[in-house]
PDB file of all heavy atoms in Angstrom:
ATOM      1  N   THR B  20      24.257  31.024 -10.254  1.00  0.00           N
ATOM      2  CA  THR B  20      25.011  29.851 -10.703  1.00  0.00           C
ATOM      3  C   THR B  20      24.214  29.096 -11.747  1.00  0.00           C
ATOM      4  O   THR B  20      23.036  28.774 -11.545  1.00  0.00           O
ATOM      5  CB  THR B  20      25.329  28.914  -9.534  1.00  0.00           C
ATOM      6  OG1 THR B  20      26.182  29.593  -8.603  1.00  0.00           O
ATOM      7  CG2 THR B  20      26.056  27.668 -10.012  1.00  0.00           C
ATOM      8  N   ILE B  21      24.866  28.776 -12.842  1.00  0.00           N
ATOM      9  CA  ILE B  21      24.308  27.934 -13.896  1.00  0.00           C
ATOM     10  C   ILE B  21      25.218  26.721 -14.023  1.00  0.00           C
ATOM     11  O   ILE B  21      26.449  26.853 -14.029  1.00  0.00           O
ATOM     12  CB  ILE B  21      24.220  28.694 -15.217  1.00  0.00           C
ATOM     13  CG1 ILE B  21      23.304  29.920 -15.065  1.00  0.00           C
ATOM     14  CG2 ILE B  21      23.702  27.781 -16.351  1.00  0.00           C
ATOM     15  CD1 ILE B  21      23.326  30.870 -16.241  1.00  0.00           C
ATOM     16  N   ASN B  22      24.593  25.562 -14.151  1.00  0.00           N
ATOM     17  CA  ASN B  22      25.371  24.313 -14.142  1.00  0.00           C
ATOM     18  C   ASN B  22      25.320  23.617 -15.498  1.00  0.00           C
ATOM     19  O   ASN B  22      24.326  23.718 -16.238  1.00  0.00           O
ATOM     20  CB  ASN B  22      24.811  23.367 -13.075  1.00  0.00           C
ATOM     21  CG  ASN B  22      25.012  23.946 -11.699  1.00  0.00           C
ATOM     22  OD1 ASN B  22      26.095  24.183 -11.248  1.00  0.00           O
ATOM     23  ND2 ASN B  22      23.878  24.208 -11.019  1.00  0.00           N
ATOM     24  N   CYS B  23      26.384  22.883 -15.769  1.00  0.00           N
ATOM     25  CA  CYS B  23      26.494  22.113 -17.016  1.00  0.00           C
ATOM     26  C   CYS B  23      27.149  20.778 -16.695  1.00  0.00           C
ATOM     27  O   CYS B  23      28.223  20.754 -16.075  1.00  0.00           O
ATOM     28  CB  CYS B  23      27.329  22.915 -18.024  1.00  0.00           C
ATOM     29  SG  CYS B  23      27.626  22.035 -19.572  1.00  0.00           S
ATOM     30  N   SER B  24      26.505  19.709 -17.118  1.00  0.00           N
ATOM     31  CA  SER B  24      27.090  18.363 -16.967  1.00  0.00           C
ATOM     32  C   SER B  24      27.163  17.707 -18.317  1.00  0.00           C
ATOM     33  O   SER B  24      26.336  17.921 -19.204  1.00  0.00           O
ATOM     34  CB  SER B  24      26.206  17.492 -16.047  1.00  0.00           C
ATOM     35  OG  SER B  24      26.139  18.062 -14.743  1.00  0.00           O
ATOM     36  N   TYR B  25      28.165  16.868 -18.489  1.00  0.00           N
ATOM     37  CA  TYR B  25      28.351  16.192 -19.758  1.00  0.00           C
ATOM     38  C   TYR B  25      28.673  14.739 -19.506  1.00  0.00           C
ATOM     39  O   TYR B  25      29.027  14.342 -18.394  1.00  0.00           O
ATOM     40  CB  TYR B  25      29.439  16.889 -20.597  1.00  0.00           C
ATOM     41  CG  TYR B  25      30.714  17.149 -19.849  1.00  0.00           C
ATOM     42  CD1 TYR B  25      31.742  16.234 -19.864  1.00  0.00           C
ATOM     43  CD2 TYR B  25      30.873  18.343 -19.153  1.00  0.00           C
ATOM     44  CE1 TYR B  25      32.912  16.495 -19.188  1.00  0.00           C
ATOM     45  CE2 TYR B  25      32.038  18.595 -18.467  1.00  0.00           C
ATOM     46  CZ  TYR B  25      33.064  17.671 -18.480  1.00  0.00           C
ATOM     47  OH  TYR B  25      34.229  17.900 -17.815  1.00  0.00           O
ATOM     48  N   SER B  26      28.530  13.949 -20.579  1.00  0.00           N
ATOM     49  CA  SER B  26      28.470  12.497 -20.383  1.00  0.00           C
ATOM     50  C   SER B  26      29.807  11.780 -20.466  1.00  0.00           C
ATOM     51  O   SER B  26      30.000  10.791 -19.751  1.00  0.00           O
ATOM     52  CB  SER B  26      27.533  11.890 -21.420  1.00  0.00           C
ATOM     53  OG  SER B  26      27.913  12.287 -22.728  1.00  0.00           O
ATOM     54  N   VAL B  27      30.689  12.217 -21.341  1.00  0.00           N
ATOM     55  CA  VAL B  27      31.979  11.518 -21.521  1.00  0.00           C
ATOM     56  C   VAL B  27      33.093  12.552 -21.613  1.00  0.00           C
ATOM     57  O   VAL B  27      32.857  13.758 -21.539  1.00  0.00           O
ATOM     58  CB  VAL B  27      31.948  10.597 -22.773  1.00  0.00           C
ATOM     59  CG1 VAL B  27      30.922   9.507 -22.604  1.00  0.00           C
ATOM     60  CG2 VAL B  27      31.683  11.399 -24.030  1.00  0.00           C
ATOM     61  N   GLY B  28      34.297  12.018 -21.819  1.00  0.00           N
ATOM     62  CA  GLY B  28      35.460  12.908 -21.784  1.00  0.00           C
ATOM     63  C   GLY B  28      35.449  13.993 -22.832  1.00  0.00           C
ATOM     64  O   GLY B  28      35.002  13.813 -23.961  1.00  0.00           O
ATOM     65  N   ILE B  29      35.945  15.165 -22.420  1.00  0.00           N
ATOM     66  CA  ILE B  29      35.966  16.290 -23.311  1.00  0.00           C
ATOM     67  C   ILE B  29      37.367  16.863 -23.435  1.00  0.00           C
ATOM     68  O   ILE B  29      38.235  16.623 -22.557  1.00  0.00           O
ATOM     69  CB  ILE B  29      35.000  17.413 -22.844  1.00  0.00           C
ATOM     70  CG1 ILE B  29      35.468  18.026 -21.505  1.00  0.00           C
ATOM     71  CG2 ILE B  29      33.570  16.912 -22.794  1.00  0.00           C
ATOM     72  CD1 ILE B  29      34.728  19.273 -21.110  1.00  0.00           C
ATOM     73  N   SER B  30      37.603  17.618 -24.467  1.00  0.00           N
ATOM     74  CA  SER B  30      38.870  18.333 -24.594  1.00  0.00           C
ATOM     75  C   SER B  30      38.698  19.817 -24.288  1.00  0.00           C
ATOM     76  O   SER B  30      39.671  20.495 -23.965  1.00  0.00           O
ATOM     77  CB  SER B  30      39.437  18.168 -25.982  1.00  0.00           C
ATOM     78  OG  SER B  30      38.507  18.577 -26.970  1.00  0.00           O
ATOM     79  N   ALA B  31      37.454  20.310 -24.353  1.00  0.00           N
ATOM     80  CA  ALA B  31      37.230  21.703 -24.030  1.00  0.00           C
ATOM     81  C   ALA B  31      35.753  21.939 -23.751  1.00  0.00           C
ATOM     82  O   ALA B  31      34.897  21.211 -24.293  1.00  0.00           O
ATOM     83  CB  ALA B  31      37.648  22.613 -25.191  1.00  0.00           C
ATOM     84  N   LEU B  32      35.478  22.934 -22.915  1.00  0.00           N
ATOM     85  CA  LEU B  32      34.111  23.332 -22.638  1.00  0.00           C
ATOM     86  C   LEU B  32      33.995  24.838 -22.825  1.00  0.00           C
ATOM     87  O   LEU B  32      34.885  25.601 -22.417  1.00  0.00           O
ATOM     88  CB  LEU B  32      33.731  22.962 -21.183  1.00  0.00           C
ATOM     89  CG  LEU B  32      32.317  23.271 -20.740  1.00  0.00           C
ATOM     90  CD1 LEU B  32      31.768  22.182 -19.811  1.00  0.00           C
ATOM     91  CD2 LEU B  32      32.208  24.605 -20.098  1.00  0.00           C
ATOM     92  N   HIS B  33      32.913  25.245 -23.446  1.00  0.00           N
ATOM     93  CA  HIS B  33      32.704  26.661 -23.743  1.00  0.00           C
ATOM     94  C   HIS B  33      31.452  27.154 -23.030  1.00  0.00           C
ATOM     95  O   HIS B  33      30.442  26.404 -22.960  1.00  0.00           O
ATOM     96  CB  HIS B  33      32.511  26.882 -25.236  1.00  0.00           C
ATOM     97  CG  HIS B  33      33.694  26.526 -26.064  1.00  0.00           C
ATOM     98  ND1 HIS B  33      34.512  27.463 -26.656  1.00  0.00           N
ATOM     99  CD2 HIS B  33      34.196  25.304 -26.430  1.00  0.00           C
ATOM    100  CE1 HIS B  33      35.473  26.845 -27.330  1.00  0.00           C
ATOM    101  NE2 HIS B  33      35.310  25.548 -27.213  1.00  0.00           N
ATOM    102  N   TRP B  34      31.492  28.362 -22.557  1.00  0.00           N
ATOM    103  CA  TRP B  34      30.293  29.070 -22.122  1.00  0.00           C
ATOM    104  C   TRP B  34      30.039  30.209 -23.103  1.00  0.00           C
ATOM    105  O   TRP B  34      30.943  31.000 -23.423  1.00  0.00           O
ATOM    106  CB  TRP B  34      30.453  29.606 -20.713  1.00  0.00           C
ATOM    107  CG  TRP B  34      30.267  28.573 -19.641  1.00  0.00           C
ATOM    108  CD1 TRP B  34      31.249  27.947 -18.938  1.00  0.00           C
ATOM    109  CD2 TRP B  34      29.028  28.036 -19.175  1.00  0.00           C
ATOM    110  NE1 TRP B  34      30.710  27.054 -18.046  1.00  0.00           N
ATOM    111  CE2 TRP B  34      29.349  27.076 -18.185  1.00  0.00           C
ATOM    112  CE3 TRP B  34      27.702  28.234 -19.498  1.00  0.00           C
ATOM    113  CZ2 TRP B  34      28.358  26.356 -17.496  1.00  0.00           C
ATOM    114  CZ3 TRP B  34      26.727  27.517 -18.827  1.00  0.00           C
ATOM    115  CH2 TRP B  34      27.053  26.601 -17.849  1.00  0.00           C
ATOM    116  N   LEU B  35      28.792  30.286 -23.543  1.00  0.00           N
ATOM    117  CA  LEU B  35      28.383  31.260 -24.540  1.00  0.00           C
ATOM    118  C   LEU B  35      27.197  32.051 -23.992  1.00  0.00           C
ATOM    119  O   LEU B  35      26.455  31.577 -23.136  1.00  0.00           O
ATOM    120  CB  LEU B  35      27.972  30.581 -25.835  1.00  0.00           C
ATOM    121  CG  LEU B  35      28.932  29.538 -26.419  1.00  0.00           C
ATOM    122  CD1 LEU B  35      28.248  28.726 -27.492  1.00  0.00           C
ATOM    123  CD2 LEU B  35      30.147  30.233 -26.972  1.00  0.00           C
ATOM    124  N   GLN B  36      27.050  33.254 -24.521  1.00  0.00           N
ATOM    125  CA  GLN B  36      25.923  34.085 -24.114  1.00  0.00           C
ATOM    126  C   GLN B  36      25.157  34.507 -25.345  1.00  0.00           C
ATOM    127  O   GLN B  36      25.744  34.945 -26.356  1.00  0.00           O
ATOM    128  CB  GLN B  36      26.472  35.345 -23.401  1.00  0.00           C
ATOM    129  CG  GLN B  36      25.397  36.324 -22.895  1.00  0.00           C
ATOM    130  CD  GLN B  36      26.029  37.635 -22.459  1.00  0.00           C
ATOM    131  OE1 GLN B  36      26.759  38.283 -23.230  1.00  0.00           O
ATOM    132  NE2 GLN B  36      25.764  38.012 -21.229  1.00  0.00           N
ATOM    133  N   GLN B  37      23.836  34.364 -25.294  1.00  0.00           N
ATOM    134  CA  GLN B  37      22.994  34.752 -26.412  1.00  0.00           C
ATOM    135  C   GLN B  37      21.984  35.790 -25.924  1.00  0.00           C
ATOM    136  O   GLN B  37      21.135  35.504 -25.092  1.00  0.00           O
ATOM    137  CB  GLN B  37      22.250  33.549 -27.009  1.00  0.00           C
ATOM    138  CG  GLN B  37      21.445  33.893 -28.248  1.00  0.00           C
ATOM    139  CD  GLN B  37      20.885  32.667 -28.926  1.00  0.00           C
ATOM    140  OE1 GLN B  37      20.658  31.638 -28.317  1.00  0.00           O
ATOM    141  NE2 GLN B  37      20.625  32.779 -30.212  1.00  0.00           N
ATOM    142  N   HIS B  38      22.105  37.007 -26.472  1.00  0.00           N
ATOM    143  CA  HIS B  38      21.233  38.075 -26.076  1.00  0.00           C
ATOM    144  C   HIS B  38      19.924  38.022 -26.798  1.00  0.00           C
ATOM    145  O   HIS B  38      19.807  37.333 -27.832  1.00  0.00           O
ATOM    146  CB  HIS B  38      21.929  39.414 -26.262  1.00  0.00           C
ATOM    147  CG  HIS B  38      22.744  39.804 -25.075  1.00  0.00           C
ATOM    148  ND1 HIS B  38      22.145  40.303 -23.908  1.00  0.00           N
ATOM    149  CD2 HIS B  38      24.062  39.765 -24.836  1.00  0.00           C
ATOM    150  CE1 HIS B  38      23.086  40.556 -23.013  1.00  0.00           C
ATOM    151  NE2 HIS B  38      24.273  40.232 -23.559  1.00  0.00           N
ATOM    152  N   PRO B  39      18.902  38.735 -26.307  1.00  0.00           N
ATOM    153  CA  PRO B  39      17.600  38.717 -26.931  1.00  0.00           C
ATOM    154  C   PRO B  39      17.624  38.988 -28.430  1.00  0.00           C
ATOM    155  O   PRO B  39      16.808  38.473 -29.164  1.00  0.00           O
ATOM    156  CB  PRO B  39      16.808  39.798 -26.170  1.00  0.00           C
ATOM    157  CG  PRO B  39      17.464  39.832 -24.840  1.00  0.00           C
ATOM    158  CD  PRO B  39      18.908  39.537 -25.058  1.00  0.00           C
ATOM    159  N   GLY B  40      18.564  39.772 -28.892  1.00  0.00           N
ATOM    160  CA  GLY B  40      18.677  40.020 -30.320  1.00  0.00           C
ATOM    161  C   GLY B  40      19.135  38.818 -31.115  1.00  0.00           C
ATOM    162  O   GLY B  40      19.072  38.803 -32.330  1.00  0.00           O
ATOM    163  N   GLY B  41      19.615  37.804 -30.410  1.00  0.00           N
ATOM    164  CA  GLY B  41      19.973  36.532 -31.037  1.00  0.00           C
ATOM    165  C   GLY B  41      21.422  36.273 -31.225  1.00  0.00           C
ATOM    166  O   GLY B  41      21.801  35.109 -31.420  1.00  0.00           O
ATOM    167  N   GLY B  42      22.276  37.285 -31.181  1.00  0.00           N
ATOM    168  CA  GLY B  42      23.693  37.066 -31.401  1.00  0.00           C
ATOM    169  C   GLY B  42      24.314  36.235 -30.297  1.00  0.00           C
ATOM    170  O   GLY B  42      23.889  36.292 -29.145  1.00  0.00           O
TER     171      GLY B  42
END
Side-chain angles (χ1 to χ4, degrees):
Chain B
T20 296
I21 299 170
N22 297 298
C23 176
S24 298
Y25 49 92
S26 54
V27 296
I29 65 171
S30 56
L32 181 143
H33 297 254
W34 282 102
L35 309 166
Q36 180 190 55
Q37 184 172 25
H38 272 285

